[in-house]
Amino acid sequence: MSLTPRPAGAGTGAAAPDAPAGAAGAAPEVRPRDFPTNRGGLCQKGWTSAAVLGATDRIVTPLVRRSLLAGSVQGIDPAASRGEPGDSGDPLVPVPWAAALDLVADRLAQLRAEHGPQSVAVFGGGGLTNEKAYALGKFARTVLHTPNIDYNGRFCMASAAAGMNRSFGVDRGLPFPLADLGGAQAVLLLGSNLAETMPPAVQHLAGARAAGGLVVVDPRRSATARLADDPASEQPAQGVHLAPVPGTDLAVLLGLLHVVLAEGLADRAYLAERTTGFDDVARSVAGWWPERVESVSGVPATELRRVARLLAAAAPVHGGSGAYVLTGRGVEQSTQGTATVTAAINLALALGLPGRVGSGYGAITGQGNGQGGREHGQKADQLPGYRKIDDPAARAHVAAVWGVDPETLPGAGVPAVRLLRSLGTPGGPRALLVHGSNVVVSAPNAGGVIERLKSLDLLVVCDFVPSETALLADVVLPVTQWAEEEGTMTSLEGRVIRRRAVVRPPGEARSELWILAELARRLGGPATPAFPTDPAVVFDELARASAGGPADYSGLSHARLDADEASGGPGLFWPVPAGPAEVPGRAGPGGVAVPAYPAGASGTHEHPGTPRLFLDRFATPDGRARMVAVDHVGPSDEVRPGAPFYLVTGRVLQHYQSGAQTHRVAELERLVAEPYVELHPVLGFRLGLPDGARVRLTSARGRVEATARWTDAVRPDTVFMPFHWSGIGSVNQVTTDATDPISGMPEFKVCAVDVAAVPSSDQAEAEPVPERTVSEQARPRPSEKELST
């Protein structure tokens, strides 16, 4: 997608420092761009994305709770603030930047002095640019000196990252360009509804569909599943849809590998040369014969054998043109998510797919910068360049770049769910800084999260619209959006992409880079490192800090990325070590000749980047992929009397994440205006819940209400609900916060619920929960009714 600034004159408010020439708040024109991943395609969210820039309730000035202002702040009369009927009596009022930052710094300093550095926590987001994610991690560890930092990517990619790191030695969602999928004869897609979550990516499945090799594993017959097997279609079948019992995907994978081994379909030469641990894995799947898998998952044994043979026929060892195994959140957001990813990798390795052009394993990344966001320091246990924070050499390298003593850097923190649970508890954080996340809606067991947020001494939220989390905050700081800032993002395939500002931010909105620099100046001492605010300068520092790490950006800069794009280059995929990394003709690892790198603008031979990983070796000490035996246990919240149905959650085409942005786009809101529950007509008839009825789902954690939609696309024992709404329609009020023991990822995707009609008396008393809109001058807390479970 590319943007063109509209003529100046439509916006109002003072421009931020170094802002682009476009008008503040003016909506740019969205035009498709012929990029390798989308080839000019955009989904509805992409086409309407400019509308978010002009949201009528955009936050344009710092806001502070009236009760926190000691007397009047210069230029502001707290008594003159505007609230709304029914607010808490302690509204958010506008204050100058200096007053807001002074207040935050003073409160943080006081809490740290009284309770220690661990009393302050930071929660980031997978939508932040690489530069902002890097600066946030640096700020937490060198200014706040707290180990308590994590981000919402823990809800997204943690299990895939844990599985890939364990098996391959490095985590890059797709270790190959997305376009490589187009040449595949078969694609096994588990737990991902690409047709609705990433519609432009569907075109890369055309080859597999044409060959009848698209296999979709999903308990629902989603839009993507219908691409593989739609009974209503007049076209020949283009693949297979497997609809397992929710939470049994791991058993399906174990069964597929059992068939591959039992029928002699594995690539034995590849396994001997490029892997370790095969014997243990072979023994572990011996007991998962197809008929047993059928009894656990409901997937017919004949279909398991059919799919295993289909994948094997596409594998290079059997003369096929290539096969891929891909996982998504549907199988990863589980207490056995890491084990499921590991089983998917084991299957791919048994077929000899990873590290071969045209084949492989990959994980579909969900957030805009889900890949880059976890590479440079937001994650609880990581430093820039995807280094481990408990590695002495990594600590020494990064500390040298930052100019601090490595002994002053804190150790690893705790994953997101544990961090949120600890807020306001004895010994836990008493203050939280939130950047790029709306945990009130997006976290599991959301009612408990709300209570933890309310217990804090200080909640500071950086946001550009009054999200549900911002409405609970003590201080809200207005920040820039995607079209208003410079920086970089990293795609799901490891391609580093430039983000450019085309319009000025409205009012007094500022970049987090500026906010962090101002807070560092107030909180830091003589040993505090500098916090540059120019994104290009921050990126150069990030590149130095990443040098030698798994995600090595040291050969990149904004200038090089711009030059590559301007010349129509292929793009640059990490790792990209600083050049000249090798001399043309010099022998590389294993005696393989290193090809000549093209000369860059300086005349030196620059590293060309690494579009495809593992072609020669895996990123493990011995260069071999590790196969790890795993076993199926099942979901933590199994169906039982009182909660006899499975609930699965997911997205819809028109909305994104918590909906804080897309609910503010009239066109998208008109298409899907309210939450709903999909249930099979057999279940609806049995429970007396007609299509359109008001339905209540109840779990051990809370309840949620929405409108029933009858559909045969869902299993009769399962209901589906999207997670883009707040209030009584917030499905995360009922999801479980049980987590994977390795990755820390919560089990969003399956839990046990009761399904019943909303009592008529409740319906009569219930009032619709409107989309929150507040004035630009005062944004009160949500009422108890809006946030109650």
Side-chain angles (χ1 to χ4, degrees):
M1 166 173 74
S2 62
L3 297 173
T4 303
R6 293 196 185 278
T12 60
D18 303 317
E29 178 184 359
V30 176
R31 294 184 299 177
R33 176 184 173 192
D34 188 13
F35 197 70
T37 51
N38 67 332
R39 295 174 181 165
L42 290 174
C43 68
Q44 290 179 345
K45 294 184 289 291
W47 283 114
T48 60
S49 57
V52 182
L53 299 170
T56 57
D57 58 349
R58 180 73 184 269
I59 304 173
V60 295
T61 187
L63 302 166
V64 174
R65 291 285 163 201
R66 179 190 291 167
S67 62
L68 295 180
L69 300 176
S72 62
V73 176
Q74 185 175 3
I76 294 292
D77 178 7
S81 64
R82 287 189 289 151
E84 289 186 359
D87 70 24
S88 64
D90 188 15
L92 288 162
V93 298
V95 300
W97 267 108
L101 294 171
D102 286 346
L103 186 152
V104 171
D106 289 346
R107 294 291 292 128
L108 292 179
Q110 179 184 355
L111 290 169
R112 290 166 58 208
E114 294 177 356
H115 305 286
Q118 73 282 353
S119 65
V120 179
V122 177
F123 201 92
L128 300 180
T129 63
N130 290 322
E131 292 81 358
K132 293 195 291 186
Y134 167 81
L136 190 62
K138 176 183 173 183
F139 177 81
R141 295 179 173 108
T142 65
V143 178
L144 299 177
H145 297 288
T146 180
N148 291 320
I149 176 172
D150 210 54
Y151 79 127
N152 63 14
R154 185 72 65 175
F155 302 155
C156 178
M157 291 297 296
S159 291
M164 294 183 77
N165 278 320
R166 182 165 69 173
S167 297
F168 298 149
V170 70
D171 157 41
R172 200 178 86 186
L174 296 186
F176 47 81
L178 179 64
D180 281 6
L181 294 176
Q185 182 177 328
V187 174
L188 173 62
L189 185 62
L190 301 111
S192 180
N193 185 13
L194 279 178
E196 291 194 272
T197 60
M198 298 172 63
V202 169
Q203 62 192 304
H204 300 296
L205 303 176
R209 293 180 65 199
L214 177 61
V215 182
V216 178
V217 181
D218 195 317
R220 298 169 64 223
R221 195 170 75 251
S222 64
T224 307
R226 288 196 296 273
L227 296 175
D229 183 17
D230 186 354
S233 174
E234 297 180 357
Q235 298 180 354
Q238 296 181 303
V240 183
H241 172 218
L242 305 181
V245 172
T248 64
D249 312 270
L250 176 52
V252 171
L253 285 165
L254 297 174
L256 291 174
L257 182 53
H258 176 102
V259 175
V260 167
L261 299 182
E263 298 190 0
L265 302 175
D267 188 338
R268 293 284 179 165
Y270 175 99
L271 287 167
E273 179 184 353
R274 303 208 61 187
T275 73
T276 62
F278 169 72
D279 290 342
D280 289 341
V281 170
R283 283 190 291 270
S284 73
V285 301
W288 285 100
W289 58 92
E291 285 74 18
R292 181 190 175 195
V293 174
E294 179 176 355
S295 71
V296 172
S297 70
V299 174
T302 54
E303 290 293 272
L304 286 168
R305 292 188 172 94
R306 175 189 174 194
V307 169
R309 294 163 185 165
L310 183 155
L311 292 171
V317 68
H318 297 295
S321 61
Y324 289 92
V325 178
L326 305 176
T327 61
R329 302 304 81 71
V331 300
E332 296 165 11
Q333 288 177 329
S334 163
T335 50
Q336 54 185 25
T338 301
T340 304
V341 168
T342 300
I345 292 173
N346 287 342
L347 175 63
L349 290 169
L351 293 170
L353 307 181
R356 279 182 165 157
V357 176
S359 294
Y361 164 81
I364 305 297
T365 302
Q367 298 190 74
N369 199 28
Q371 181 67 54
R374 67 183 183 272
E375 294 171 357
H376 299 297
Q378 284 191 101
K379 213 170 178 181
D381 59 349
Q382 288 180 192
L383 290 171
Y386 225 134
R387 287 182 162 91
K388 299 295 288 184
I389 198 168
D390 57 3
D391 177 358
R395 293 169 65 87
H397 173 84
V398 174
V401 173
W402 289 345
V404 300
D405 183 345
E407 295 299 319
T408 65
L409 298 179
V414 297
V417 170
R418 286 177 58 192
L419 179 61
L420 293 172
R421 283 183 192 151
S422 71
L423 298 176
T425 63
R430 305 174 72 96
L432 179 68
L433 312 181
V434 179
H435 296 257
S437 188
N438 186 14
V439 293
V440 165
V441 181
S442 63
N445 191 11
V449 172
I450 292 168
E451 291 306 309
R452 292 297 89 224
L453 293 176
K454 289 180 178 179
S455 72
L456 290 167
D457 294 339
L458 179 69
L459 175 60
V460 181
V461 175
C462 286
D463 213 330
F464 46 84
V465 293
S467 67
E468 288 78 5
T469 306
L471 287 169
L472 280 177
D474 299 297
V475 179
V476 182
L477 303 178
V479 293
T480 50
Q481 285 195 67
W482 55 281
E484 301 162 352
E485 61 186 11
E486 296 285 328
T488 60
M489 311 284 277
T490 304
S491 74
L492 77 167
E493 53 190 354
R495 187 195 309 255
V496 185
I497 303 169
R498 280 280 279 118
R499 168 182 280 185
R500 297 181 179 86
V502 296
V503 295
R504 299 183 193 179
E508 299 178 43
R510 298 287 186 267
S511 168
E512 280 97 333
L513 295 180
W514 180 84
I515 294 171
L516 295 174
E518 288 295 310
L519 288 174
R521 182 170 62 83
R522 288 165 167 82
L523 288 165
T528 301
F531 279 78
T533 59
D534 182 338
V537 175
V538 176
F539 187 92
D540 289 344
E541 184 182 305
L542 175 160
R544 294 194 301 275
S546 75
D552 190 336
Y553 284 38
S554 60
L556 295 175
S557 65
H558 280 201
R560 186 177 178 196
L561 292 168
D562 290 344
D564 178 77
E565 182 179 324
S567 65
L572 293 158
F573 302 74
W574 68 258
V576 190
E582 299 283 358
V583 177
R586 175 181 173 183
V592 178
V594 176
Y597 298 154
S602 64
T604 62
H605 295 278
E606 297 175 307
H607 193 287
T610 315
R612 296 171 185 86
L613 297 176
F614 317 139
L615 296 182
D616 299 315
R617 67 189 313 275
F618 292 95
T620 57
D622 62 1
R624 294 169 177 254
R626 303 183 188 98
M627 298 185 76
V628 181
V630 295
D631 201 10
H632 170 72
V633 177
S636 64
D637 194 25
E638 189 57 89
V639 292
R640 58 193 180 276
F645 306 106
Y646 293 105
L647 166 68
V648 297
T649 68
R651 300 179 181 178
V652 299
L653 174 64
Q654 292 78 15
H655 290 298
Y656 181 70
Q657 301 294 72
S658 71
Q661 297 179 57
T662 53
H663 287 310
R664 288 171 166 81
V665 178
E667 181 178 341
L668 300 178
E669 188 72 348
R670 184 168 56 252
L671 291 170
V672 186
E674 65 172 2
Y676 59 88
V677 177
E678 287 186 355
L679 67 161
H680 196 281
V682 169
L683 180 59
F685 182 80
R686 186 178 126 207
L687 297 179
L689 298 172
D691 186 38
R694 192 72 178 167
V695 175
R696 174 177 293 170
L697 308 182
T698 306
S699 76
R701 293 152 297 278
R703 64 178 174 84
V704 64
E705 296 175 7
T707 302
R709 287 189 183 181
W710 278 19
T711 173
D712 62 0
V714 67
R715 295 170 53 96
D717 60 358
T718 301
V719 294
F720 166 82
M721 189 169 174
F723 52 67
H724 309 294
W725 282 268
S726 61
I728 197 63
S730 174
V731 73
N732 281 328
Q733 298 278 358
V734 299
T735 54
T736 175
D737 57 0
T739 58
D740 181 292
I742 297 174
S743 69
M745 175 175 273
E747 192 160 50
F748 280 109
K749 281 299 183 281
V750 58
C751 68
V753 297
D754 188 27
V755 181
V758 175
S760 57
S761 58
D762 288 5
Q763 292 188 61
E765 295 175 3
E767 297 178 2
V769 180
E771 181 68 26
R772 283 293 280 185
T773 57
V774 295
S775 74
E776 293 185 352
Q777 298 300 316
R779 293 167 172 82
R781 295 176 184 264
S783 68
E784 293 296 322
K785 182 174 182 179
E786 289 175 297
L787 294 176
S788 68
T789 58

